[in-house]
Amino acid sequence: DAGVTQSPTHLIKTRGQQVTLRCSPKSGHDTVSWYQQALGQGPQFIFQYYEEEERQRGNFPDRFSGHQFPNYSSELNVNALLLGDSALYLCASSLETGANYGYTFGSGTRLTVV
Amino acid sequence: AQKVTQAQTEISVVEKEDVTLDCVYETGDTTYYLFWYKQPPSGELVFLIRRNSFDEQNEISGRYSWNFQKSTSSFNFTITASQVVDSAVYFCALSEAWAYGNNRLAFGKGNQVVVIP
């Protein structure tokens, strides 16, 4: 039973560019959340998608956007990259009906902006 | 507003020693959930334990145990007889109850645990 799969694992982009990160949730999960983890910090919530809609959003600018597809997979898009966007981006999946039973996290995408 | 504070940054212990990680939280809700996650060098967050705000019973699960005290808003975590494989970053997290399923997690800054053989 595959867990959460994220791609790519590593990415280097230039300031001002745009990037798309991808996530496939754990089998049977229908909700996807994205977190940003800067070096030496705890993960920060970006947003959560359920039924292809953004349901919750953290304190991130509109440069951060996302999408969820009918198969529950998700993309995170970041426009106009800044050096400060360099971080580990974690995807977490969960089951809507499994309230607070915890998330399953992927290994993340390490984004470096130069 | 929800907030999680993990005061220690790096903790080094010799193998077989016990290590306790402190976590203090803030929330305005009466119903909430507390978690501990482990993050090995591979990057993924591994779920360890979960406790809801109505259950202050402290338990032991293998080499892991936790001490939940609502009166002091603390949710401390102990690894007994540490092993080298326990070396990782450990995060305490809080999730407030929500009508629609799993709510967002608020994480502390983490504790880097280094177990020295």
Side-chain angles (χ1 to χ4, degrees):
Chain A
D1 181 21
V4 176
T5 304
Q6 292 186 244
S7 63
T9 55
H10 295 82
L11 201 54
I12 299 175
K13 288 288 190 177
T14 302
R15 189 172 49 183
Q17 285 188 318
Q18 178 265 343
V19 68
T20 298
L21 310 182
R22 296 176 175 81
C23 172
S24 292
K26 179 179 179 179
S27 178
H29 283 183
D30 55 12
T31 304
V32 174
S33 301
W34 287 90
Y35 290 80
Q36 179 196 65
Q37 186 180 12
L39 195 62
Q41 301 296 315
Q44 298 291 318
F45 175 76
I46 304 175
F47 41 54
Q48 182 185 89
Y49 277 84
Y50 173 68
E51 290 190 339
E52 303 178 48
E53 296 287 333
E54 181 184 291
R55 185 164 63 173
Q56 275 191 319
R57 188 177 183 92
N59 189 24
F60 279 81
D62 292 343
R63 298 187 298 108
F64 289 78
S65 63
H67 189 78
Q68 185 181 33
F69 299 94
N71 67 353
Y72 307 119
S73 67
S74 176
E75 289 182 348
L76 164 66
N77 301 292
V78 186
N79 295 322
L81 284 167
L82 303 174
L83 296 179
D85 295 330
S86 296
L88 178 67
Y89 288 84
L90 294 164
C91 173
S93 71
S94 57
L95 183 61
E96 168 69 4
T97 57
N100 288 293
Y101 288 166
Y103 295 89
T104 299
F105 282 84
S107 296
T109 294
R110 173 72 63 186
L111 172 65
T112 302
V113 182
V114 298
Chain B
Q2 50 188 3
K3 182 180 178 181
V4 176
T5 302
Q6 294 178 252
Q8 312 108 309
T9 52
E10 182 169 325
I11 303 168
S12 294
V13 295
V14 176
E15 196 171 22
K16 297 184 182 178
E17 288 184 340
D18 297 348
V19 55
T20 295
L21 309 179
D22 298 330
C23 173
V24 175
Y25 62 91
E26 296 177 29
T27 176
D29 278 10
T30 56
T31 303
Y32 51 88
Y33 301 84
L34 295 163
F35 302 82
W36 277 96
Y37 283 88
K38 174 182 178 180
Q39 187 175 44
S42 60
E44 68 183 288
L45 287 167
V46 178
F47 168 78
L48 297 177
I49 56 175
R50 179 188 78 103
R51 179 62 61 191
N52 72 55
S53 55
F54 293 107
D55 184 359
E56 289 190 72
Q57 181 179 354
N58 297 311
E59 294 185 17
I60 298 173
S61 176
R63 295 188 299 109
Y64 299 151
S65 63
W66 53 95
N67 187 339
F68 176 31
Q69 293 190 353
K70 287 179 69 173
S71 61
T72 56
S73 298
S74 65
F75 186 53
N76 299 336
F77 174 67
T78 298
I79 305 171
T80 302
S82 60
Q83 302 174 2
V84 173
V85 293
D86 295 327
S87 295
V89 181
Y90 290 81
F91 290 98
C92 180
L94 166 71
S95 176
E96 294 173 340
W98 195 36
Y100 303 105
N102 289 278
N103 203 353
R104 68 183 72 186
L105 290 166
F107 287 87
K109 290 188 176 182
N111 300 125
Q112 173 74 62
V113 173
V114 178
V115 181
I116 303 166

